Amino acid sequence: MTRPHPANDTALGADSVAALHDLVLKSLDDDQAQETISIPLEGKSSIADHMVIASGRSSRQVASMAQKLAERIKQSTGRSARVEGLPVADWVLIDAGDVIVHLFRPEVRSFYNLERMWGFVDAPVAGTA
C-alpha cells in the first residue's frame, strides 16, 4: 500500500517503492550499518510499505548514515526525506514516505526493541535471508 509522501502529493508505484527500499538497504550497507533488518508493512500498516531498522557503532556513525541516506534519497527520487533526531543521534528516524528507517546506537535499539513491537523478534538481517 503506497501512501503519499508528506512533501509530495503523488504516491510511489510498486517499482519505485522497491527501488527506494533497495536504495535504503544499499546505502546502509555501504555505510557499514550493523544488524539491518527490513520489516514488510504492506497490508499491515498504512504508515509505509517497509520499515528498516539498523544500528551504528556510535552517535557519529548514526548521524553520518542518516545524513548520507537523506542525500541519496533526494538525489535518486527528487524527494526530501524527513529526518528527526539528528542533534543527539541516539535514534534517528528517516521518513522517506513508503520506507521508514530507524537508525540506533545499539543500547538504544535494544531498549526500545522495535522488532519485538512489530512482531519480528527473529527477523532475518536484510540481505541474508
Side-chain angles (χ1 to χ4, degrees):
M1 169 182 217
T2 56
R3 69 174 177 90
H5 186 276
N8 202 326
D9 287 340
T10 58
L12 293 175
D15 290 342
S16 295
V17 172
L20 176 61
H21 184 242
D22 290 344
L23 170 78
V24 166
L25 295 177
K26 182 177 180 342
S27 178
L28 294 176
D29 186 54
D30 289 349
D31 292 336
Q32 300 176 353
Q34 298 176 332
E35 298 181 39
T36 302
I37 67 160
S38 180
I39 300 172
L41 299 179
E42 188 173 4
K44 296 177 185 149
S45 175
S46 62
I47 64 169
D49 285 355
H50 301 278
M51 179 182 299
V52 177
I53 303 171
S55 299
R57 292 179 302 278
S58 66
S59 294
R60 284 182 80 172
Q61 185 190 17
V62 169
S64 176
M65 288 189 305
Q67 290 168 331
K68 287 179 183 177
L69 178 57
E71 290 168 11
R72 290 170 179 149
I73 290 169
K74 177 71 172 172
Q75 289 173 349
S76 177
T77 68
R79 297 173 177 224
S80 294
R82 290 188 179 185
V83 180
E84 303 211 9
L86 268 180
V88 177
D90 285 338
W91 175 0
V92 178
L93 170 71
I94 300 108
D95 181 354
D98 294 297
V99 180
I100 306 277
V101 182
H102 296 274
L103 301 176
F104 291 98
R105 281 189 312 105
E107 326 58 85
V108 178
R109 181 176 180 173
S110 48
F111 178 80
Y112 287 102
N113 202 352
L114 292 183
E115 296 93 329
R116 174 161 287 184
M117 182 188 311
W118 284 92
F120 277 77
V121 177
D122 297 320
V125 174
T128 61

